[in-house]
Amino acid sequence: MACCKGPGYKSPLEAFHKGPREQLMYVVCVQPDLTKQDYLATVDIDPDSPTYSQVIHRTYTGSSGDELHHSGWNVCSSCHDRADLKRDLLILPSLHSTKVFVVDVGTEPRKPELYKVIEGSEMRSVNCTFPHTAHCLATGEIMISTMGDKDENGKGDFVLIDAKTLKVTGTWTKGKTAAFGYDFWYQPYQNVMVASEWGSPIDFKTVFHPTHIADKTKYGTSLNVYKWSTRELVQVIDLGPEGCAPLEIRFLHNPKSSQGFVGCAVEANVYRFYKAEDQSWKAEKVIDIPAKRIVKDGVESKLNGLISDILISLDDKYLYLSCWLHGDVHQYDISDPEHPRLTAKITLGGQAVNHNLKVKDEEELKPVFIKGKRLYGSPQMLQLSLDGKRLYVSSSLYSPWDKQFYPQMTEQGGWMVKLDVDIVNGGMNLDTNFLVDFGSEPNGPVLPHEMRYPGGDCTSDIWLAED
């Protein structure tokens, strides 16, 4: 049947129960040296391979100063009923140059090649810059969220790219655009798309300025709800100061679900958003990670967690998040989505460890070493195996902020580690036999960000309901 020959999997649970174990990982790598090129690293994650946990290939952008960040596909499981389509191109938007790099991962998956570069001028021609999240649509188009207008002021919009010609065809939104942009997730069964907000690129692209947080012209605090069928912004949910910088947004994977979660960076809170009885969308805080009390030279200050990534397992049982300033990875059981339950936490760095700071009323944290390598920096991006049993963690958030908060990681290179997961009772353990050290790369240390498997994963694939 045609439904079984298209890209991806028929359903999230089919991927969860029948998907193969991951063997390769594509990792976006950013050069802190702006005279050198960013690249896509191909990492061998097959435990039976002689090159296990090593970079086996690098696909360079051919230019400098791009700031690769997130990635997506030309087609995914939303096109599973299309036997004529193939998931063979990885889409790599770059924040600073606004270019979109298209990489051929289908011809030779272990040695991807740069296929096409969509120039920043094409994006600017539709008044968009700072492209972020790329999702494929069931139409075969590629949609990329953007965070800035052509002058890099805040603007939340979405650029459409024809998946065959790889040409920018315009923007998706009809009518009013959002004040800010970042991530998005669509759910056609509920006729909705929900998008999140970071801030104004012209401000956050330098370094993090604490004084900007209270300025609503510089940082967003809202979820933007669009009517999927008409492409209109129909509702703006202001989360308030505790919801400042809502970043990664995840619907439950069940394609009929009417709820999801968003991680709010600054105050380290997670909000659940859902469709109410009156058909409007609402949000409530369900996870609140308290600030740590840091003591330095006898002076006490507050250190917020900064939630930088969240994801949900394909069976919708667990939610994972990373606190980039605290240095923690959390696991929550979300079987009851209104009341997430913390089931595990692992510390892999953070501000206190990196800068030898004392945390009041907590035991002293120790640096983490794997294979003799100290993990400078902190856990940031997350990627989960299809079966939920392995959680991969990388360390870079955004190179200007990496340099500000974790200069030692920037100088010595970032890393990728693996946590083994108990999917029955909850729990995580660090695998001390797995380490990808990005400090010894050919052109110097680099900063690893988002991770993808060749066949798709729980953060890049969106499924459509069957009826």
Side-chain angles (χ1 to χ4, degrees), residues 98-127:
T98 304
K99 296 176 182 177
V100 178
F101 298 91
V102 182
V103 176
D104 176 4
V105 299
T107 302
E108 196 166 353
R110 296 178 69 86
K111 295 181 179 181
E113 293 188 357
L114 185 62
Y115 180 77
K116 181 180 175 62
V117 179
I118 301 171
E119 296 295 338
S121 57
E122 285 198 57
M123 306 289 281
R124 289 188 177 88
S125 72
V126 293
N127 194 27

Side-chain angles (χ1 to χ4, degrees), residues 328-345:
D328 302 329
V329 178
H330 295 226
Q331 179 198 52
Y332 295 85
D333 186 323
I334 55 168
S335 301
D336 177 359
E338 295 181 42
H339 303 96
R341 180 173 59 87
L342 180 66
T343 46
K345 182 176 79 170

Side-chain angles (χ1 to χ4, degrees), residues 169-185:
T169 60
T171 55
W172 180 84
T173 311
K174 303 297 183 185
K176 181 182 177 181
T177 56
F180 301 104
Y182 187 74
D183 196 17
F184 71 102
W185 198 283

Side-chain angles (χ1 to χ4, degrees), residues 138-376:
T139 59
E141 296 173 291
I142 301 160
M143 188 157 84
I144 303 177
S145 61
T146 57
M147 296 186 281
D149 64 13
K150 60 182 176 61
D151 298 315
E152 299 182 356
N153 298 304
K155 177 197 175 197
D157 210 342
F158 308 89
V159 172
L160 290 173
I161 297 173
D162 185 286
K164 292 184 178 179
T165 65
L166 297 174
K167 291 286 188 181
V168 172
T169 60
T171 55
W172 180 84
T173 311
K174 303 297 183 185
K176 181 182 177 181
T177 56
F180 301 104
Y182 187 74
D183 196 17
F184 71 102
W185 198 283
Y186 60 86
Q187 201 80 326
Y189 185 83
Q190 301 293 343
N191 196 22
V192 71
M193 182 178 82
V194 183
S196 59
E197 302 184 333
W198 184 357
S200 174
I202 203 167
D203 295 305
F204 70 65
K205 74 176 185 178
T206 53
V207 294
F208 173 69
H209 301 278
T211 56
H212 287 177
I213 291 301
D215 187 341
K216 299 198 90 173
T217 69
K218 298 183 185 297
Y219 274 81
T221 60
S222 298
L223 295 181
N224 297 294
V225 181
Y226 297 81
K227 189 174 182 179
W228 183 247
S229 59
T230 63
R231 307 184 180 186
E232 297 171 288
L233 177 61
V234 294
Q235 189 179 349
V236 176
I237 305 173
D238 189 351
L239 304 176
E242 291 208 359
C244 185
L247 298 183
E248 307 301 334
I249 192 160
R250 315 292 186 205
F251 259 95
L252 293 183
H253 291 287
N254 181 339
K256 293 185 178 181
S257 176
S258 59
Q259 60 184 317
F261 298 88
V262 62
C264 299
V266 174
E267 295 289 335
N269 297 316
V270 175
Y271 282 74
R272 168 184 168 258
F273 58 89
Y274 60 98
K275 182 187 274 190
E277 290 186 4
D278 64 2
Q279 302 303 298
S280 68
W281 290 81
K282 300 184 183 301
E284 61 179 357
K285 184 173 67 173
V286 292
I287 297 173
D288 187 334
I289 297 173
K292 293 181 182 290
R293 292 184 293 169
I294 300 295
V295 180
K296 182 179 182 181
D297 300 327
V299 178
E300 184 177 316
S301 61
K302 183 176 76 169
L303 178 67
N304 283 321
L306 202 158
I307 293 177
S308 52
D309 196 16
I310 69 170
L311 60 75
I312 297 172
S313 60
L314 286 174
D315 60 349
D316 290 335
K317 181 178 180 180
Y318 292 109
L319 179 147
Y320 298 85
L321 63 81
S322 56
C323 285
W324 195 61
L325 293 185
H326 285 179
D328 302 329
V329 178
H330 295 226
Q331 179 198 52
Y332 295 85
D333 186 323
I334 55 168
S335 301
D336 177 359
E338 295 181 42
H339 303 96
R341 180 173 59 87
L342 180 66
T343 46
K345 182 176 79 170
I346 286 182
T347 300
L348 299 172
Q351 285 285 288
V353 172
N354 277 254
H355 300 288
N356 298 313
L357 303 174
K358 178 176 174 53
V359 181
K360 192 170 183 179
D361 300 327
E362 291 188 19
E363 292 184 6
E364 182 182 358
L365 296 171
K366 303 292 185 181
V368 175
F369 291 83
I370 300 180
K371 296 184 174 181
K373 162 84 172 181
R374 177 173 172 175
L375 302 186
Y376 286 104

Side-chain angles (χ1 to χ4, degrees), residues 8-9 52 74 103 270 305 312 450:
Y9 303 90
Y52 179 55
N74 58 330
V103 176
V270 175
I312 297 172
E450 193 169 54

